[in-house]
Each structure stands twice: as C-alpha cells, then as structure tokens.
Amino acid sequence: MTNHKKVQDNLFFEVQGMLRFTLVIVIVFLASLGVSAQEADTTKYDEDFVKTSLIIASPGDMLYSKVGHCAIRMQCPQYKLDYVFSYESEDARQKVLTFLAGKLKMGMFSVPTDEYISSYKKEGRSVVEYTLNIPIDAKRNLWKVLDTHVMEGANLPYDFITRGCAHSVLTMIEEGIFPLTLEFDSFPKTFATSTRRELTGLQMKDHPWTWCFLNLLVNGSIDDTDCSNQDKIIMPADLVESLLKARINGKPLISEAPRELLTAKSAESTCWFTPLMLAIILLVITVIATLIKWNFWNYVLLAIQTVLGIFILYLVAFSSLCCTEWSWLIIPFNPLPLIFWKWRKRWALPFAVIITLWAAAMLLYPHQLTDTTFIVLGIALVLNYVNIFIRNKKHSKHIEARTAKRRGVKMA
C-alpha cells in the first residue's frame, strides 16, 4: 500500500531488460537443481538454495502508506540474486484526477532488495523480515509466478483490494505453492465480526483525517458482510497475524522471530483536531444560527453539502475507481438541494425526514457504513432544513394574515 517513486523513475523502462537477465539466471539455477543430489551434502542446503521471506514496512506519512506495506523477498545466494516483488502504482500525488477517475495504473515490480529498503530509509520507516518455510519446489514455482506477474507490465488498473499489498502477497504465495495449500489455524478475532471497512478503521484509528477521507472515497463492495476470511486480509498487520498461524505440509509457515532490516527514525505524531471535532463545531454553529436566525449559515451548509455531493456523485456515476459502485453518503450529500433551492420551502421538511432516517440507519446498522463525522454533519443538515421549513411556514402565515387584514377578513 505504498508508492516507490524511485522505483518508477529508475526502473520502469528497465524492468523488461532486468527480467530477461533474471529469467536466464533463474533457468540456470533451476537446471542446476537437477544435479543437486550429487552436489548437495545435506537437505538443508537444498532448502536454502532459494530463500523466501515476507517484508513488512511500517506506516508512512502519505494516505496510501498509513497502514504500512508488505512484499515478498526472493533470494538465491549462490547466484547472488536478491529481489523484492511488490505491486506498485503510479504516484497518485502527481495524478490526483487520474486516481479519482480510476484510471491510475499499477503493476508488479522486482526491485533489488538494497534499493527497495533504501527507499524506506529516506522516509524514516522501519522494515522487518519474516522467513517463510516453503518447500524448495514451491519456492522455485513462486519465483516463476512472481516473474510472470512482473512480465504483465505496469499497465494494470489500480485496485487497492485485489492488488493491494497484503491481499496480493497472500494470493502470490497461494498461487506459488500450488498444489500445496496454506492451512490457517485461526484468523484475527476481529475477522468474525468485522467488515473490511471496519478492519481498515481499526488500523487507521490514529489517522482520523485519512480515515474520514477514505470513508468519503470508498464504499460499495468493501462493506460485504459475507466476505471470506482470506479476502478480509487487506492490512499488512492482519496478514502477519494470519500467516503466523498458518501451516504448510503440517509445519508452521513462519517459525522464526522477525529480523529488523531497517530501524525507524521516529514515530509519527497524530493530529489532535479531528474531522469529528469539526463536524461537532458545525453542528453547534447550526444550533446557534437557528436561535439567532442567522440566514447566511443556510448557504454555508448548502455549499458544504453541494461540494461533497458533486464529489460523491462523480465517484458513483463516472469513476471506475475500486469500491465506488455505491455510496450511502449520496443520500444526504448531493447537488439536488442547490438545483431546487428556489422551492426549498416545499421539500425542506421531507428532505429533513429522509436524512433523519438515513442517520438512524447508519447508527443502528450492525456494521459501520461510514465515518461518524458524516452522520453528525447530516444531523446539522436536518436541523437546518427543519428551521427553513418552520421559518418559511411562519413567513407564509404572516403574509396570509397581512393579506387577509387588507381584505378585512378576520383570521382564525
């Protein structure tokens, strides 16, 4: 779940040449395994001819790296081959509109391990390594599978679920060890009661602004309640916890303690001012504006509602970004109030009722469907539209009274 700018800048156009070289070397050492029984003195030598490990990087500063990153390291010490295989995307910071449109591209890269680790050193992040106890034949096949995916190129649609680091690492391992299978003793306890949105939220609790934005951005299939345990592995931390309790051929997949390859410089500080605090402030101002009859606040909330609504509508209707098939936020936040603002006295109360029902559903549903920030903001909209309805109703009665008085009709 991270981008490596240096990888893209320096290796994007060189990857095919490097692959050809790597494949030639791999073929050579695979052929050498045919006579390994004559050359090797011990089984240990055979198993260590190719080494496979899981690489875990600590969280970074950018949105896409807040939960860390994971990848697969493949080594053949005899032929001095040492690469990290990882799905990487184009830099979303430089292609924001492309990212929002769902047109961002990604692919699997094989990066020299030293270069891979150095990219995290510049960011001050830590890197640890877990050795994977995979049979030698499965290791050889896994390397072949990884090289095959690298050869697909970096022109695949950006998909942070199926090609996200944790899920793709698990998929590559399972594909590489076939016909062997991973046997999981258990999965994280949170898997039994949580959706993928909620599992992500647990990892993002220290990053409220990023979490709020992700809830604005991502909906749809991430809320599936019938998702399998394997498909719920989308966080590096959950991948590690699951693999620590996995077996292959009856033996633990990971039996050794992790080795620290890089030490983090410093821990990331958290922001004390959260999106929920901002939403509560807006709600309080809405209450005050209602009491003092500050009409200008209607237009402030309308602006917030419209901007969020246009953004959400674009994601649902036009973007092909992963998990934007639907958004519950489009009910309270959409551009319709702006379009029909002239007739607000007619629809203000019904719309307030709809938002109230929406907020109640968000709060009562057994799983989290959005960030609490948006629910609080929705309640502010309810108060505002109820106030508009009451004020317009009083205004209409006042006009009727004045009209009747001019006509000499006594009002009831």
Side-chain angles (χ1 to χ4, degrees):
M1 294 189 175
T2 185
N3 296 68
H4 293 289
K5 188 175 186 297
K6 184 174 181 180
V7 171
Q8 296 164 0
D9 292 341
N10 297 339
L11 297 179
F12 185 81
F13 296 103
E14 300 176 7
V15 66
Q16 293 299 330
M18 185 184 70
L19 273 175
R20 286 192 294 268
F21 170 78
T22 302
L23 288 173
V24 169
I25 297 299
V26 170
I27 291 172
V28 170
F29 84 72
L30 288 181
S32 70
L33 291 178
V35 294
S36 61
Q38 301 175 4
E39 298 177 346
D41 296 327
T42 65
T43 303
K44 182 176 181 299
Y45 175 82
D46 289 337
E47 292 299 324
D48 287 346
F49 189 77
V50 177
K51 297 181 179 181
T52 303
S53 55
L54 174 67
I55 299 292
I56 302 291
S58 63
D61 296 330
M62 301 306 297
L63 180 149
Y64 48 74
S65 63
K66 290 293 186 181
V67 295
H69 187 62
C70 56
I72 298 176
R73 181 183 184 183
M74 301 296 299
Q75 302 176 71
C76 179
Q78 181 171 332
Y79 289 92
K80 298 181 180 179
L81 296 173
D82 190 355
Y83 290 97
V84 172
F85 292 82
S86 172
Y87 269 115
E88 307 291 344
S89 73
E90 298 176 281
D91 195 338
R93 293 171 297 179
Q94 299 179 5
K95 296 186 176 183
V96 175
L97 296 180
T98 303
F99 166 73
L100 294 177
K103 304 299 182 182
L104 205 66
K105 299 299 181 182
M106 69 184 309
M108 178 168 284
F109 288 84
S110 59
V111 186
T113 299
D114 290 342
E115 184 174 342
Y116 183 85
I117 295 177
S118 68
S119 66
Y120 289 110
K121 185 176 183 180
K122 295 178 180 179
E123 299 177 29
R125 298 163 65 180
S126 66
V127 178
V128 296
E129 179 182 37
Y130 294 84
T131 297
L132 301 181
N133 301 319
I134 299 175
I136 184 62
D137 288 341
K139 292 178 185 178
R140 293 160 55 192
N141 189 58
L142 175 58
W143 201 323
K144 178 182 177 181
V145 166
L146 292 170
D147 269 337
T148 300
H149 283 282
V150 173
M151 294 178 67
E152 292 176 350
N155 198 39
L156 303 173
Y158 178 72
D159 187 333
F160 49 80
I161 296 294
T162 59
R163 295 191 188 94
C165 63
H167 189 76
S168 64
V169 164
L170 178 60
T171 300
M172 293 300 104
I173 292 175
E174 291 181 322
E175 186 177 343
I177 67 173
F178 183 82
L180 301 176
T181 59
L182 290 180
E183 301 171 358
F184 293 91
D185 293 340
S186 65
F187 291 93
K189 294 180 179 179
T190 51
F191 279 24
T193 57
S194 303
T195 63
R196 286 181 289 190
R197 177 191 299 278
E198 292 166 325
L199 292 172
T200 304
L202 292 174
Q203 302 292 327
M204 301 288 289
K205 61 181 181 296
D206 294 330
H207 310 287
W209 286 99
T210 302
W211 175 236
C212 182
F213 179 72
L214 288 177
N215 276 271
L216 177 65
L217 192 70
V218 176
N219 290 271
S221 59
I222 199 171
D223 293 313
D224 290 345
T225 55
D226 58 350
C227 185
S228 68
N229 284 324
Q230 270 101 327
D231 286 338
K232 287 183 178 180
I233 300 177
I234 58 174
M235 297 288 109
D238 290 334
L239 175 67
V240 172
E241 185 174 349
S242 298
L243 294 185
L244 284 171
K245 300 175 182 179
R247 296 177 179 274
I248 182 170
N249 278 344
K251 299 179 180 179
L253 179 65
I254 298 175
S255 58
E256 300 178 7
R259 294 181 299 279
E260 189 174 55
L261 303 181
L262 188 64
T263 304
K265 289 183 179 180
S266 60
E268 182 186 4
S269 60
T270 58
C271 180
W272 64 269
F273 186 70
T274 67
L276 182 57
M277 290 181 183
L278 176 59
I280 292 174
I281 291 173
L282 294 176
L283 177 59
V284 171
I285 295 176
T286 301
V287 173
I288 296 173
T290 300
L291 295 175
I292 66 175
K293 299 179 181 180
W294 187 29
N295 294 334
F296 177 75
W297 189 246
N298 296 336
Y299 298 97
V300 174
L301 289 181
L302 177 64
I304 295 174
Q305 184 180 31
T306 303
V307 170
L308 291 176
I310 292 174
F311 182 72
I312 296 167
L313 180 62
Y314 169 76
L315 291 174
V316 173
F318 302 103
S319 175
S320 56
L321 183 65
C322 176
C323 297
T324 57
E325 312 91 34
W326 167 251
S327 174
W328 288 106
L329 294 176
I330 203 171
I331 295 175
F333 304 105
N334 60 76
L336 290 179
L338 175 65
I339 297 173
F340 297 104
W341 186 251
K342 181 178 179 180
W343 302 278
R344 58 190 178 278
K345 64 181 181 181
R346 298 183 181 179
W347 54 258
L349 184 60
F351 192 39
V353 172
I354 291 174
I355 299 177
T356 301
L357 294 174
W358 170 85
M362 295 298 103
L363 291 171
L364 296 177
Y365 190 72
H367 295 284
Q368 183 181 16
L369 294 176
T370 189
D371 187 29
T372 308
T373 300
F374 298 107
I375 299 176
V376 174
L377 191 54
I379 295 173
L381 292 177
V382 169
L383 293 179
N384 188 57
Y385 285 125
V386 169
N387 179 50
I388 289 175
F389 172 78
I390 294 174
R391 193 166 62 246
N392 283 327
K393 193 172 184 63
K394 289 181 178 179
H395 182 65
S396 298
K397 286 186 176 181
H398 179 68
I399 293 176
E400 289 176 4
R402 289 178 57 185
T403 303
K405 186 176 181 179
R406 284 198 301 269
R407 294 177 179 177
V409 179
K410 185 178 180 180
M411 298 296 296

